[in-house]
Every structure is written in C-alpha cells, then in structure tokens.
Amino acid sequence: FGEHAREVISSEVAYWFGSMLAGEPGEQMDWLHTKSAHAISRKVFKDDNIEIPDNVEDWVATLLAKVVWTIVPVECPGSRRQVEQGQTCARRTPSGVDLNRNWPVAFQHERPQSETYGGPDPFSEPESRILAALAKEWNPHVFTTVHSGEWAMYLPWDHKRGWGEDLPKDSEQLLQRMNYQCECT
C-alpha cells in the first residue's frame, strides 16, 4: 500500500482494512462492499467445504484467528507528504526513485529523469531496505503490494509473464478465486 504516493486510495484502503480487521466499531462493518465480499466468499468457498460464518463480524474474527497480517499503509511517507501538500502527481521518493523498481529482481539502470528510475543500485533507498528487513524478519507466506489505477494483478513479477518456480501449486486457482472475488474483467 502507498508505494506510489499519488495512488492515495491504496493507503486509505489499508487503513480501512486494518480498522476492519481490528474490529473497530463503526461504518466499516456496514460498508456495502464488506458485505458483498463476505457473500461472495461464502459462494466461492462453498464447493471446498470451507465454512464461512453467517455474518461479517464472525467472518472477520475467523480471518483474524487464522491469519497473521502485517500492513504497511504508507511505504513512502516523504512522497505522501508531497501529495498532501499539493504535488498530486508525485510517484517517486523525494530523491526521485521509483520504489517499485528499487529491488534486485529485474533491476535496470534507467535515466534518473524516468518515472520508473530504480535508483543507482537495488536497495539504494531506505524505504525499500526497511521493507526488505521487515520481510526477512517476518518471513511471510504471502506478500502483496496494492496499487490503484488499473484492474490487474501481477504475479510473480510485474515485469514478465510466467509463474514463479516457488509459488504454491494452487496459485492459479487462488488467482481465479480472487478474480471472481474482485469481479475483475
């Protein structure tokens, strides 16, 4: 969430998601899409004999009991600050690096003026080093980065087609379920 500062809605979704998972009372539990996601989950997992609770609150409680979530709502606070101060097109870090490209996977040297400039070296930015350290410490089974602006999910990497060798065998089935869940086209 919040890797590109101008994608403000992705950070807001992270805050909403966290408040829903934390069970904070209020409008989140009554939000139309929460109820829709709950209803679709009941339908999708029905054939797998996976019991989905009847109400949204119990569904969220079940997710909390079975899944450990780590949410980073804003990956680049300096750029987010720029957007909030009126620079609404800020995508890169204040030092001009696209965090999405500042990883060793498929790192490319590009012109610093490019919107997709990955920096002088992989992990040259403190933000990407912090995320890498968090991932090493936490060792998640799944890592998801949320962007806004298009209906797409890129797996395993967004720079090439194909499946990662280490992905679970049911990854394609999971993506098909997510596509149904999100009603993507």
Side-chain angles (χ1 to χ4, degrees):
F1 298 98
E3 187 171 51
H4 297 128
R6 68 182 178 199
E7 299 172 11
V8 175
I9 192 65
S10 65
S11 293
E12 300 308 314
V13 169
Y15 290 121
W16 167 82
F17 188 59
S19 65
M20 184 183 80
L21 290 174
E24 292 179 11
E27 63 186 56
Q28 291 87 359
M29 288 301 185
D30 294 327
W31 190 48
L32 173 67
H33 295 294
T34 302
K35 291 179 180 179
S36 295
H38 173 250
I40 291 170
S41 292
R42 289 178 53 84
K43 185 176 179 181
V44 167
F45 291 108
K46 181 180 177 183
D47 294 339
D48 294 333
N49 295 320
I50 296 173
E51 189 174 328
I52 303 293
D54 291 333
N55 65 59
V56 176
E57 289 84 358
D58 289 345
W59 177 55
V60 171
T62 299
L63 288 175
L64 283 172
K66 295 183 177 186
V67 179
V68 175
W69 302 88
T70 297
I71 300 172
V72 179
V74 178
E75 291 181 33
C76 192
S79 295
R80 173 66 184 239
R81 204 170 303 110
Q82 289 176 332
V83 168
E84 290 173 352
Q85 293 171 349
Q87 297 178 37
T88 57
C89 292
R91 180 179 192 276
R92 302 179 295 171
T93 65
S95 61
V97 174
D98 178 0
L99 283 183
N100 204 35
R101 309 293 191 280
N102 193 234
W103 296 81
V105 176
F107 180 82
Q108 297 177 23
H109 288 283
E110 295 189 30
R111 299 179 347 265
Q113 300 81 9
S114 169
E115 277 291 301
T116 57
Y117 174 60
D121 298 297
F123 295 127
S124 63
E125 302 305 296
E127 297 91 345
S128 57
R129 290 193 304 271
I130 290 168
L131 288 171
L134 177 64
K136 284 179 184 176
E137 177 184 323
W138 184 45
N139 194 24
H141 294 286
V142 175
F143 175 87
T144 303
T145 179
V146 176
H147 295 264
S148 63
E150 72 181 280
W151 288 89
M153 180 170 184
Y154 301 106
L155 220 169
W157 321 110
D158 69 353
H159 69 282
K160 64 181 177 181
R161 292 188 174 271
W163 294 95
E165 296 172 12
D166 295 332
L167 288 174
K169 300 297 181 213
D170 65 346
S171 292
E172 186 170 2
Q173 182 183 19
L174 175 64
L175 286 174
Q176 288 172 352
R177 285 184 180 167
M178 289 175 72
N179 188 45
Y180 180 83
Q181 180 79 9
C182 299
E183 299 177 6
C184 302
T185 56

